[in-house]
Amino acid sequence: MELNLTTMLGQSGLIEADNVARLIETAEQIDVEETLASKAELLTTYRARLAHLGQFSTHHATRLQRATAEFVAALEQLDDEAMIAHARIDDPILGGYVVWFVPSNAVAIGALYVIGRSEVPAEVWQSIWEDP
């Protein structure tokens, strides 16, 4: 699959687009998932995640909530039969971005900064999800 994530992000207007584009410039590896997901599957999952994120008020949670709301809104605008792919760009320091896009028209519709629980010590995990 040939795609230019930087171009897609530059045209997207997504909240996290500039941050992802900077990371892409230095990324050693970008993993593109060739398995396509349906709009309906993603809406179910990300609406639930968005509701869950509303319980938290830390910087990371708020940032992720805004980007998730943006992704859900973009999904809602797609045709029901739209299929969506994603790419993962890992930050060498911590976490990384998942960029969701529609391969049929090369449009980026979501960019989420994610940190896995296994990537950080328990106290760091707690600090990014729980208010002091």
Side-chain angles (χ1 to χ4, degrees):
M1 173 187 297
E2 185 178 327
L3 68 128
N4 187 324
L5 285 174
T6 305
T7 300
M8 281 194 284
L9 288 162
Q11 296 170 349
S12 72
L14 294 170
I15 294 167
E16 294 283 353
D18 290 342
N19 294 330
V20 183
R22 281 192 294 276
L23 182 56
I24 287 172
E25 291 174 8
T26 60
E28 292 181 16
Q29 181 176 345
I30 297 174
D31 296 318
V32 177
E33 179 60 49
E34 294 184 23
T35 303
L36 299 177
S38 74
K39 169 187 170 175
E41 292 170 317
L42 291 172
L43 270 175
T44 299
T45 298
Y46 281 90
R47 281 177 175 153
R49 288 183 181 183
L50 183 57
H52 179 72
L53 286 166
Q55 301 175 54
F56 304 96
S57 60
T58 62
H59 172 74
H60 176 68
T62 302
R63 177 181 178 186
L64 186 54
Q65 183 180 26
R66 281 194 311 265
T68 302
E70 178 181 62
F71 178 45
V72 167
L75 284 170
E76 291 171 342
Q77 298 302 310
L78 294 176
D79 292 335
D80 288 341
E81 54 281 336
M83 298 300 287
I84 298 99
H86 72 276
R88 167 90 187 204
I89 304 98
D90 288 321
D91 188 314
I93 298 170
L94 180 65
Y97 283 92
V98 177
V99 176
W100 294 94
F101 61 96
V102 180
S104 62
N105 59 5
V107 172
I109 59 169
L112 308 174
Y113 180 67
V114 294
I115 301 171
R117 186 177 211 143
S118 63
E119 295 178 75
V120 295
E123 61 274 3
V124 173
W125 183 258
Q126 184 175 354
S127 74
I128 63 175
W129 288 107
E130 295 179 21
D131 291 320

